[in-house]
Amino acid sequence: MTAREEMLRRVREALGGSRGAHPPVPRGYARRLTGPQAATRADVVALFTERVADNRAAVRHVGADELGTAVAAALWGREAKRIAVPADLPFGWLAELDGVRALADTPALDLDALAAVDGVVTGCAAAVARTGTVVLDGGRAQGRRALTLVPGYHLCVVHADQIVGTVPEAVTRLDPARPLTWISGPSATHGVEGVRAEGVHGPLHLEVLVVED
Amino acid sequence: MPKFAAAARPALADTGLRRALRGTTAQLRGRAAAAAAEPADWEDLREAGRAIGEEALLNLDVHLEDLERAVTEAGGTVHWAADAAEARRVVTGLVRASEAREVLAAASLTLREIGLDGALARAGVAVQETALGDLAVRLGEDEPSHPLSPAAHRDRAGIAELFRRAMPAAGADLPDDPEALAAAARAHLRERFLRARVAVTGANFLVAETGTAVVVESEGNARMCLTLPETLICVAGIDKVVPTWDDMEVFLQLLPRASTGDRMTPYVSSWTGVTPGDGPRAFHLVLLDNGRTRALADEVGRAALRCVGCSACLNVCPVYERTGGRPYGPVHQGPIGAILTPQLRGVESAAMASLPYASTLCGACADVCPVKIDIPDVLVHLRGLVVDSRRRRPVPPPEMVLMRGLAWTMGDPRRHAAVLRRGTRWARLLSRGGRIRRLPGLLGAWTEARDLPAPPAESFRAWWDRTRA
Ligand code: SF4
């Protein structure tokens, strides 16, 4: 008997008569935000902003027409000289860069090159207000996973209409067939005395720009 | 493995360890309590988590077959391992085929369970731990004491000391604040991450419907492991299966809040098979039984298989807070370990039989468990199994002899009084400074986990007779 057959046999035998029962799953939890947190679209966006800041990431609001300037300002603020970007990042996002070289990830940059850049700029697939999370799925303007992992600084652009209220809303929106990364703040550890300390292996700094179109 | 009480003695005597543990558990406990109190639907989420876990187990065979199909369709390979030896064989074989001399490891509870390090070492392959706590445990050559904070038994000064010795680049004056230690670990592992060809990880969840593996972590070391190498090997227990992708909406809310008190853990990664141009070119999923089907067969005990590994029950446990994780054995520790390990391995051995007794049954663990595992209920159930397995033995256990003797003695007031007088004299001879560390003979088992105050010189009845009669 193969291990597979053996294990499936053991499972069936272990369950005996209870096998195949479907006890109901009560789903009375909140699927959406309610109350003052969700009275208007602006409230949801405000909650997202507050929660991102709670996660110890920098966050700012910009108008659609100011995005280029805001990206440039953020990179200057970090004294970035060379950054990596997904090949399909909208050109306008980088239009105001001056003195910062953007390396497009096409052909794919090798890991040493990624480790040597000062940061990375991407968009996202969705964002969750209740938890202050941005989710990347490798789609438009996001690039492959290594891009937002190896550099020490990640600047993520979130359009207000990408922000949903809750985790259930995000799960419904996302496609599990794609590789997903949910990011809630910079890399952190509780490894020393249970105290949260920032910056271990992932990016040390996360900065979020919320674009109000 | 020694019995729990014997293993716990040195830990109880180590005040440094107790201080470090108390610090860590209090930190995590406080954060988790505050976080769980925040959402209005916390109880609804727990109830859903409990029910989804039950559904997952009652249809486990179907879910496992679905999972295999979905992973294979997405370009991954599924392996089945009925026990630890088989899992070691599978992983060692895969690593050998890759010709790597070093593999990276992350989220490593199942890796510990199957004893992967030793097996790979014998095959000439080094295992590099990547989480800060695991790294400290490895450098200190000791055992982890907390699943999420493996170095919880060491304080910051102790970890800094280890790092100074093992990471020359960090400098002899590496300060002992947590941020500096994190930075040192980062620098130390960077180069290894960039060169790694094979990584072995665990998984927090496996979604049957879609074939998706999910890892929840905060340092980014697991992201490194599942993103950068060419080959990714994921070893996960069959109890990690959840039926549908939508079920993740429940667990992604329950797990972070219960474990570290974060609204969401800094990183959640999920992937399905392989994605061309993004991440590993080969993905292997090793499904591990190793006693889980044995636990599944117990209708009460199987609840333990719902565990999502948040460690909330450890952080509130008064026994764990004083003994640390090590007396529970190398893998599953704290209250959940006390019910899971004896089920995975059977209660016949003395060590396993002692675990269900490593509890005061105070119930704090059941109150915080995000998937509502009634740990005290399972503990009591397992104590029953231990007693039953003893009863079948040809030689009656000491408790039973003692109880029969007591019944005879207490059945007659004069006999009782005589025995009390004699017992008092003997007990006072045994005591040191008013406490008895160890009773002689068969009675020794009772003092294994507790000191006994020496009895007063005179029994209450004798005193009553003398003063009032
Ligand atoms: S038993 Fe419950 S509280 Fe304990 S680790 Fe598992 S899920 Fe968390």
Side-chain angles (χ1 to χ4, degrees):
Chain A
M1 210 189 289
T2 64
R4 177 182 192 278
E5 288 162 2
E6 170 68 15
M7 283 164 65
L8 289 172
R9 184 192 64 77
R10 284 189 202 161
V11 169
R12 293 188 185 116
E13 200 177 282
L15 290 172
S18 40
R19 175 170 167 247
H22 293 278
V25 176
R27 296 192 186 259
Y29 51 84
R31 306 202 63 85
R32 311 183 155 276
L33 293 174
T34 49
Q37 289 184 330
T40 66
R41 191 66 213 148
D43 294 323
V44 178
V45 175
L47 180 66
F48 173 71
T49 311
E50 179 195 315
R51 296 285 157 96
V52 170
D54 274 359
N55 291 339
R56 309 196 206 184
V59 55
R60 242 159 356 112
H61 281 237
V62 294
D65 51 341
E66 308 159 322
L67 180 57
T69 321
V71 170
L75 292 173
W76 289 329
R78 300 222 63 88
E79 297 180 15
K81 296 274 176 295
R82 284 148 53 87
I83 58 163
V85 294
D88 58 353
L89 200 79
F91 183 74
W93 294 12
L94 303 176
E96 305 291 320
L97 291 196
D98 194 1
V100 182
R101 234 185 106 202
L103 309 172
D105 190 35
T106 174
L109 299 164
D110 66 29
L111 291 181
D112 288 321
L114 269 188
V117 298
D118 302 313
V120 55
V121 180
T122 72
C124 69
V128 187
R130 203 177 182 188
T131 58
T133 305
V134 294
V135 191
L136 275 61
D137 71 354
R140 206 173 88 86
Q142 297 157 62
R144 59 194 170 113
R145 284 172 285 178
L147 208 55
T148 50
L149 173 62
V150 179
Y153 166 67
H154 177 196
L155 178 61
C156 186
V157 175
V158 179
H159 286 277
D161 60 7
Q162 292 181 307
I163 303 173
V164 298
T166 64
V167 170
E169 288 173 279
V171 166
T172 309
R173 255 193 202 206
L174 294 162
D175 177 0
R178 312 184 74 113
L180 303 176
T181 311
W182 302 55
I183 302 172
S184 308
S187 157
T189 180
H190 291 93
V192 185
E193 295 181 6
V195 183
R196 181 180 159 122
E198 256 124 75
V200 199
H201 307 297
L204 302 164
H205 305 283
L206 172 68
E207 191 162 349
V208 176
L209 290 178
V210 181
V211 185
E212 316 236 31
D213 307 76
Chain B
M1 186 179 148
K3 287 203 256 184
F4 182 86
R9 267 197 199 286
L12 287 170
D14 182 344
T15 49
L17 171 137
R18 291 175 63 170
R19 196 176 326 109
L21 267 174
R22 196 161 53 235
T24 299
T25 52
Q27 277 279 348
L28 293 171
R29 185 167 62 223
R31 292 171 52 87
E38 182 186 296
D41 58 348
W42 181 247
E43 287 308 315
D44 297 314
L45 285 167
R46 285 179 80 202
E47 193 49 37
R50 180 198 60 72
I52 295 168
E54 227 159 70
E55 145 74 32
L57 292 175
L58 292 178
N59 298 277
L60 189 56
D61 53 330
V62 179
H63 294 318
L64 286 170
E65 287 180 305
D66 285 348
L67 174 72
E68 178 184 46
R69 194 173 320 119
V71 170
T72 311
E73 271 168 19
T77 311
V78 176
H79 309 261
W80 300 70
D83 55 25
E86 192 150 19
R88 285 195 296 268
R89 255 199 316 279
V90 171
V91 178
T92 314
L94 291 168
V95 173
R96 274 226 181 93
S98 75
E99 292 177 9
R101 307 313 301 160
E102 179 176 271
V103 303
L104 300 178
S108 56
L109 217 53
T110 36
L111 308 186
R112 283 194 73 78
E113 179 180 333
I114 64 170
L116 187 64
D117 287 18
L120 285 178
R122 284 190 289 285
V125 179
V127 176
Q128 174 66 56
E129 292 292 348
T130 57
L132 189 146
D134 290 319
L135 192 60
V137 166
R138 174 62 57 86
L139 294 174
E141 292 177 7
D142 54 9
E143 301 283 321
S145 55
H146 187 284
L148 294 181
S149 220
H153 55 290
R154 287 187 186 267
D155 58 13
R156 58 184 76 193
I159 296 174
E161 180 63 42
L162 289 172
F163 279 17
R164 276 183 217 119
R165 247 193 294 130
M167 305 172 184
D173 50 359
L174 174 67
D176 62 9
D177 69 280
E179 306 260 347
L181 296 174
R186 179 187 181 91
H188 181 72
L189 285 172
R190 242 321 123 128
E191 191 59 18
R192 295 189 142 94
F193 279 129
L194 300 183
R195 303 285 161 254
R197 292 175 41 211
V198 181
V200 192
T201 70
N204 292 93
F205 304 98
L206 301 169
V207 183
E209 172 195 36
T210 58
T212 308
V214 183
V215 166
V216 180
E217 51 126 8
S218 62
E219 295 187 9
N221 61 308
R223 278 182 78 191
M224 291 277 186
C225 288
L226 60 90
T227 305
L228 303 185
E230 288 155 22
T231 303
L232 171 60
I233 305 167
C234 184
V235 184
I238 51 175
D239 51 332
K240 294 296 170 219
V241 172
V242 301
T244 69
W245 171 247
D246 283 345
D247 294 331
M248 290 312 303
E249 71 191 21
V250 174
F251 296 115
L252 286 184
Q253 296 188 77
L254 288 174
L255 178 56
R257 286 180 186 273
S259 70
T260 53
D262 292 314
R263 291 193 183 96
M264 184 62 87
T265 313
Y267 301 129
V268 177
S269 300
S270 71
W271 69 98
T272 305
V274 292
T275 306
D278 186 351
R281 287 205 286 271
F283 170 57
H284 296 272
L285 176 60
V286 183
L287 293 172
L288 180 70
D289 179 346
N290 203 30
R292 286 163 176 80
T293 45
R294 178 208 273 264
L296 190 64
D298 185 319
E299 276 179 44
V300 178
R302 74 167 63 123
L305 295 175
R306 292 207 300 269
C307 174
V308 294
C310 71
S311 80
C313 58
L314 286 81
N315 295 335
V316 297
C317 177
V319 175
Y320 171 85
E321 185 172 311
R322 286 161 181 82
T323 63
R326 287 179 278 186
Y328 295 90
V331 187
H332 305 283
Q333 306 176 328
I336 180 65
I339 60 169
L340 190 52
T341 310
Q343 292 198 80
L344 297 177
R345 297 171 54 181
V347 295
E348 290 77 27
S349 82
M352 291 301 118
S354 74
L355 280 176
Y357 293 89
S359 168
T360 61
L361 300 181
C362 74
C365 47
D367 291 343
V368 296
C369 178
V371 289
K372 292 190 151 180
I373 302 174
D374 191 339
I375 295 177
D377 186 50
V378 181
L379 281 167
V380 169
H381 168 74
L382 291 177
R383 288 181 186 186
L385 295 186
V386 169
V387 171
D388 282 348
S389 93
R390 294 277 153 111
R391 202 169 275 149
R392 284 195 301 271
R393 292 188 187 172
V395 180
E399 298 92 319
M400 213 176 284
V401 175
L402 186 68
M403 284 305 161
R404 285 190 198 139
L406 272 182
W408 180 80
T409 314
M410 293 173 88
D412 178 290
R414 241 168 333 176
R415 244 182 262 156
H416 188 202
V419 166
L420 268 186
R421 269 195 313 278
R422 237 178 300 139
T424 300
R425 233 174 286 134
W426 277 106
R428 292 182 73 80
L429 276 176
L430 282 171
S431 72
R432 294 269 174 288
R435 304 199 74 74
I436 301 173
R437 276 287 305 266
R438 192 156 184 85
L439 284 169
L442 294 181
L443 298 170
W446 199 79
T447 43
E448 203 169 65
R450 40 173 96 63
D451 290 348
L452 180 70
E458 188 177 36
S459 75
F460 174 74
R461 281 155 171 276
W463 171 83
W464 182 271
D465 288 342
R466 181 165 58 79
T467 58
R468 303 291 146 97

